[in-house]
Amino acid sequence: QSALTQPPSASGSPGQSVTISCTGTSSDVGGYNYVSWYQQHPGKAPKLMIYEVSKRPSGVPDRFSGSKSGNTASLTVSGLQAEDEADYYCSSYAGSNNFAYVFGTGTKVTVL
Amino acid sequence: QVQLQQSGPGLVKPSQTLSLTCAISGDSVSSNSAAWNWIRQSPSRGLEWLGRTYYRSKWYNDYAVSVKSRITINPDTSKNQFSLQLNSVTPEDTAVYYCARHGGDLRFDPWGQGTLVTVSS
């Protein structure tokens, strides 16, 4: 399986919104609703922000939202805050005959 | 609250075996609703799912095609932990290795703290 494609970078000013895309194929993103998004600060483990395309775990601010259309998933961060500056990775189930899981290439979000 | 604590050496020689352990608290490695995974991250390969072990009346494993011939993930019910063994390592296996749990919704949560493993002589 190939990695999902994300833009290398995205940015916005505090209070603005930023949307990150995650493009796969019909064998992963387009084929299943098991798309998740992870936030990673430098030197830290990834943290779950969104699962099953648009669900938020408890404790994650509602400024974070997810969606999917066809083979592309998106993460939107509204009302950007300084602490949102981090790397973001999408992921998707990619199995058919065998269990497989694929991650995105990662997007660095900068709060200007 | 589930927590995962990783342990293992940070330096492995080429051609040898990389071994890491992930201790579980707040859940059971034998849970019928969870799976226990290893994931690695490197600048060249990004985040890469390596494999998982899980119990559904018996033990199962799934492995990524890229490492299938070299990887073993084993549960240890007596210590409530699971392990990763990766054989015949090369410098390309240098990465931060993470353990992580997923449930039926396939979300990786939580993650271990990560272990940087360097393959070098």
Side-chain angles (χ1 to χ4, degrees), chain A residues 38 40 45 48 89 99 101, chain B residues 41 52 98 106-108 112:
Chain A
Y38 300 87
Q40 187 177 35
L48 177 70
Y89 295 91
F99 184 91
Y101 214 83
Chain B
Q41 184 176 28
R52 66 175 186 166
Y98 294 99
L106 299 187
R107 52 173 161 166
F108 292 114

Side-chain angles (χ1 to χ4, degrees), chain A residues 91-102:
Chain A
S91 66
S92 174
Y93 177 66
S96 51
N97 296 323
N98 301 301
F99 184 91
Y101 214 83
V102 63

Side-chain angles (χ1 to χ4, degrees), chain A residues 1-2 4 24-32 70-71 92-98 100-102:
Chain A
Q1 284 80 13
S2 299
L4 306 175
T25 69
S26 59
S27 297
D28 39 62
V29 174
Y32 309 94
N71 296 337
S92 174
Y93 177 66
S96 51
N97 296 323
N98 301 301
Y101 214 83
V102 63

Side-chain angles (χ1 to χ4, degrees), chain B residues 3 11 23 27 31 43 46-47 55 58-59 63 73 77 79 97:
Chain B
Q3 293 185 317
L11 180 63
D27 200 347
S31 166
L47 281 165
Y55 184 77
K58 69 174 186 177
W59 289 101
Y63 299 128
I73 296 176
T77 57
K79 295 182 179 179
Y97 286 76

Side-chain angles (χ1 to χ4, degrees), chain B residues 21-104:
Chain B
T21 298
C22 183
I24 303 163
S25 59
D27 200 347
S28 170
V29 70
S30 303
S31 166
N32 274 297
S33 59
W36 306 96
N37 298 260
W38 287 99
I39 296 162
R40 67 182 177 183
Q41 184 176 28
S42 66
S44 59
R45 302 172 74 99
L47 281 165
E48 180 182 17
W49 175 80
L50 298 176
R52 66 175 186 166
T53 189
Y54 61 100
Y55 184 77
R56 301 291 185 270
S57 303
K58 69 174 186 177
W59 289 101
Y60 295 88
N61 290 100
D62 293 300
Y63 299 128
V65 170
S66 60
V67 295
K68 192 168 187 174
S69 63
R70 300 191 291 131
I71 190 173
T72 303
I73 296 176
N74 282 323
D76 182 344
T77 57
S78 66
K79 295 182 179 179
N80 200 31
Q81 62 187 29
F82 62 107
S83 64
L84 167 69
Q85 287 193 308
L86 188 65
N87 303 324
S88 305
V89 297
T90 71
E92 283 213 347
D93 294 310
T94 294
V96 177
Y97 286 76
Y98 294 99
C99 59
R101 176 193 183 278
H102 81 65

